[in-house]
Amino acid sequence: MGRVLVMLTAAAAVVACSMATVMVRRRMKGRRKWRRVVGILKDLEEACETPLGRLRQMVDAIAVEMQAGLVSEGGSKLKMLLTFVDDLPNGSETGTYYALHLGGSYFRIIKVHLGGQRSSLEVQDVERHSIPTSLMNSTSEVLFDFLASSLQRFIEKEGNDFNLSQPVKRELAFTFSFPVKQTSISSGVLIKWTKGFAISEMAGEDIAECLQGALNKRGLDIRVAALVNDTVGALSFGHFHDPDTIAAVVFGTGSNACYLERTDAIIKCQNPRTTSGSMVVNMEWGNFWSSRLPRTSYDLELDAESMNSNDMGFEKMIGGMYLGDIVRRVILRMSQESDIFGPISSILSTPFVLRTNSVSAMHEDDTSELQEVARILKDLGVSEVPLKVRKLVVKICDVVTRRAARLAAAGIAGILKKVGRDGSGGGRRSDKQIMRRTVVAVEGGLYLNYRMFREYMDEALRDILGEDVAQHVVVKAMEDGSSIGSALLLASSQSVQTIPSV
Ligand code: ADP
Ligand code: MG
């Protein structure tokens, strides 16, 4: 009996010992895996670093590239496109106008009525719809007929609102968010598609003519009277409300900026034919590139797999279309190198499955257990991960978005530098008399809806400019600014009222 007991005790000890060994091994393995993902995160943080010194280099690089793009066609990756807009709306416009806005994710139709005073601006109708993905790879005919039919429905809804004795011709601004070489304020040819659009054989086509043709085919009596880049629309809207507005930036699906430049600085344009002495320049800053940009292996992969590789490098780091996919790529890498996310999810391997809306929802999840993060991960095929893994995901969102926001701030500061509003001119930084109030209009779903992006951007801009200068710079958010502003711009470019007031 005694022997049996000894043997049993010994056996139990062996089992306990080997169980402990297994557990220790498991724990060590777990720790190793955890260390591996922490290492991936650390590498990401290092590769995304944007210290003030680097941001200042970006500011200089942007200002230099802007200059190069103004000197000669093709002189820079920044196209610095002429817009033929030399006068911005000021509030005195009158009439009723329409705008159709083709963004990267949405199209919008609006109708505005202007009564000759800022306060009488009336946005009478707004419609916003997602752009069906199938349209992005369709044909020119399909795309423009779709836009024309949407506009037709919008007009038909007005019914007999226009109780007019004479038929009216409606005037429309076409707000377009892809690069166009303008030939006048109402015409221009597509340079290339961006943001996932890939409709072949359209480069070189006149965009306003395409829309006009589709409207005519449907027998709609609407004149496409202005072709307006979305940033220029936002600048017009900003200027309408505040004449100190000199630049506009869009942070939506993609990103771009425009600003008011002196015509004598636009050296590549021999005969700018402006009366105001200045012209709005569409930078197409999404294509900005500098070897100093903090690029990671995830950016390289994203670019290589995109429809427009080696193009739009800046946009791919700051645009709403891409931030979610960068975050997804980091999570995927972690899940490939360790099993902290469980078995590799096939959903997680799908490009663009994680949208930037979800990134902000995870980043701003304020529940103690990060339930929103858990929910979104579950949608990605990753379930039941411990809290510390959920926290890791929030950190990834933070790193990617912070980099984007800080680079965006450097972009804005670059414009301010180019136009001498960054306080560096003349070395009289502390003299408040010479610092003019400067307003930058900002719009786009990323900026408007992602608080952390906004906060990081504002903070970085203050850091770059310094308090003395930053207090004279106002960043003003404006919802639907691009669409409304395009209608305002059309109004200001018309000398006669074409539709009676309703
Ligand atoms: P468009 O680019 O079509 O003009 P928006 O300016 O509304 O449209 O921008 C839409 C983009 O903004 C979305 O594709 C997304 O990337 C980003 N976005 C919208 N809402 C959010 C959000 N809550 N958090 C983060 N990003 C958002
Ligand atoms: Mg937009």
Side-chain angles (χ1 to χ4, degrees), residues 75-336:
S76 163
K77 287 201 113 180
L78 289 182
K79 288 208 156 50
M80 306 300 283
L81 300 169
L82 306 182
T83 62
F84 301 93
V85 173
D86 60 343
D87 248 336
L88 289 165
N90 56 22
S92 64
E93 296 76 15
T94 55
T96 298
Y97 296 90
Y98 297 80
L100 172 72
H101 174 181
L102 183 68
S105 307
Y106 301 99
F107 73 94
R108 301 160 181 81
I109 305 174
I110 59 142
K111 176 183 171 188
V112 298
H113 175 64
L114 302 156
Q117 283 176 342
R118 278 194 190 108
S119 57
S120 57
L121 166 67
E122 222 184 297
V123 181
Q124 295 184 329
D125 218 344
V126 187
E127 260 187 25
R128 187 177 103 139
H129 304 279
S130 293
I131 301 168
T133 326
S134 58
L135 270 193
M136 298 178 184
N137 303 300
S138 63
T139 62
S140 157
E141 253 184 9
V142 171
L143 173 70
F144 285 97
D145 185 58
F146 175 82
L147 296 176
S149 69
S150 306
L151 194 57
Q152 183 168 24
R153 269 197 306 281
F154 185 90
I155 301 281
E156 280 167 2
K157 260 198 347 210
E158 287 178 342
N160 294 326
D161 280 1
F162 285 109
N163 201 3
L164 304 166
S165 48
Q166 290 188 349
V168 288
K169 192 167 184 84
R170 291 174 172 88
E171 300 274 306
L172 175 86
F174 187 16
T175 316
F176 197 69
S177 67
F178 303 89
V180 162
K181 186 172 169 54
Q182 301 262 167
T183 41
S184 73
I185 192 164
S186 57
S187 58
V189 297
L190 178 73
I191 297 173
K192 63 186 176 187
W193 289 111
T194 56
K195 299 179 282 200
F197 273 66
I199 300 171
S200 56
E201 292 167 20
M202 271 215 65
E205 294 280 315
D206 189 313
I207 294 302
E209 251 174 39
C210 290
L211 181 61
Q212 187 68 68
L215 296 173
N216 294 349
K217 254 192 208 158
R218 286 182 168 262
L220 294 169
D221 202 7
I222 305 172
R223 188 169 79 100
V224 183
L227 178 61
V228 186
N229 181 264
D230 54 343
T231 59
V232 181
L235 178 59
S236 301
F237 189 61
H239 197 271
F240 177 89
H241 287 295
D242 189 334
D244 288 338
T245 312
I246 56 129
V249 191
V250 170
F251 299 109
T253 308
S255 183
N256 187 17
C258 74
Y259 73 109
L260 205 54
E261 181 59 279
R262 291 189 340 267
T263 38
D264 58 5
I266 312 175
I267 294 161
K268 67 181 175 182
C269 178
Q270 298 293 321
N271 180 18
R273 277 179 285 149
T274 68
T275 47
S276 66
S278 51
M279 190 193 279
V280 177
V281 173
N282 166 14
M283 291 173 62
E284 285 301 331
W285 88 1
N287 203 33
F288 169 70
W289 187 250
S290 155
S291 58
R292 300 293 301 143
L293 277 168
R295 208 179 196 197
T296 66
S297 56
Y298 310 101
D299 299 304
L300 288 168
E301 283 167 16
L302 184 150
D303 181 59
E305 290 170 28
S306 68
M307 285 182 191
N308 53 348
S309 60
N310 285 320
D311 207 21
M312 306 300 278
F314 194 46
E315 177 163 277
K316 286 173 182 163
M317 287 183 166
I318 63 175
M321 173 169 171
Y322 302 102
L323 299 188
D325 206 53
I326 300 172
V327 171
R328 178 193 69 84
R329 285 170 188 276
V330 181
I331 300 175
L332 181 63
R333 170 91 48 94
M334 287 179 172
S335 93
Q336 283 163 342

Side-chain angles (χ1 to χ4, degrees), residues 213-492:
L215 296 173
N216 294 349
K217 254 192 208 158
R218 286 182 168 262
L220 294 169
D221 202 7
I222 305 172
R223 188 169 79 100
V224 183
L227 178 61
V228 186
N229 181 264
D230 54 343
T231 59
V232 181
L235 178 59
S236 301
F237 189 61
H239 197 271
F240 177 89
H241 287 295
D242 189 334
D244 288 338
T245 312
I246 56 129
V249 191
V250 170
F251 299 109
T253 308
S255 183
N256 187 17
C258 74
Y259 73 109
L260 205 54
E261 181 59 279
R262 291 189 340 267
T263 38
D264 58 5
I266 312 175
I267 294 161
K268 67 181 175 182
C269 178
Q270 298 293 321
N271 180 18
R273 277 179 285 149
T274 68
T275 47
S276 66
S278 51
M279 190 193 279
V280 177
V281 173
N282 166 14
M283 291 173 62
E284 285 301 331
W285 88 1
N287 203 33
F288 169 70
W289 187 250
S290 155
S291 58
R292 300 293 301 143
L293 277 168
R295 208 179 196 197
T296 66
S297 56
Y298 310 101
D299 299 304
L300 288 168
E301 283 167 16
L302 184 150
D303 181 59
E305 290 170 28
S306 68
M307 285 182 191
N308 53 348
S309 60
N310 285 320
D311 207 21
M312 306 300 278
F314 194 46
E315 177 163 277
K316 286 173 182 163
M317 287 183 166
I318 63 175
M321 173 169 171
Y322 302 102
L323 299 188
D325 206 53
I326 300 172
V327 171
R328 178 193 69 84
R329 285 170 188 276
V330 181
I331 300 175
L332 181 63
R333 170 91 48 94
M334 287 179 172
S335 93
Q336 283 163 342
E337 301 218 356
S338 93
D339 59 4
I340 63 160
F341 289 97
I344 297 175
S345 150
S346 60
I347 303 174
L348 193 57
S349 311
T350 314
F352 297 106
V353 69
L354 178 61
R355 317 293 292 237
T356 304
N357 309 37
S358 301
V359 170
S360 69
M362 293 197 286
H363 197 181
E364 295 168 4
D365 184 353
D366 55 6
T367 62
S368 58
E369 294 294 307
L370 296 177
Q371 282 142 4
E372 190 58 15
V373 178
R375 189 189 63 75
I376 290 166
L377 286 177
K378 196 162 173 226
D379 286 348
L380 295 173
V382 175
S383 41
E384 309 282 325
V385 291
L387 185 60
K388 71 172 183 179
V389 176
R390 301 202 286 271
K391 284 186 179 163
L392 188 80
V393 170
V394 174
K395 184 67 191 166
I396 299 169
C397 299
D398 186 71
V399 173
V400 172
T401 296
R402 185 168 183 270
R403 177 186 70 162
R406 288 173 71 79
L407 293 177
I412 293 177
I415 300 175
L416 297 177
K417 186 178 176 91
K418 173 70 186 69
V419 296
R421 304 280 189 112
D422 68 332
S424 62
R428 297 169 66 195
R429 234 178 133 103
S430 59
D431 186 347
K432 289 196 177 106
Q433 296 297 84
I434 61 158
M435 273 308 300
R436 285 169 62 191
R437 182 173 174 272
T438 301
V439 180
V440 179
V442 180
E443 88 121 270
L446 181 69
Y447 186 82
L448 295 173
N449 302 318
Y450 195 166
R451 180 178 51 81
M452 291 302 290
F453 178 88
R454 233 174 17 241
E455 287 181 8
Y456 278 141
M457 198 193 91
D458 292 347
E459 178 192 58
L461 190 58
R462 265 197 316 279
D463 288 351
I464 296 169
L465 296 175
E467 272 312 321
D468 282 353
V469 175
Q471 63 181 309
H472 301 280
V473 175
V474 182
V475 173
K476 257 196 200 173
M478 32 200 59
E479 202 167 350
D480 285 329
S482 305
S483 324
I484 302 169
S486 301
L488 300 178
L489 185 62
L490 169 55
S492 73

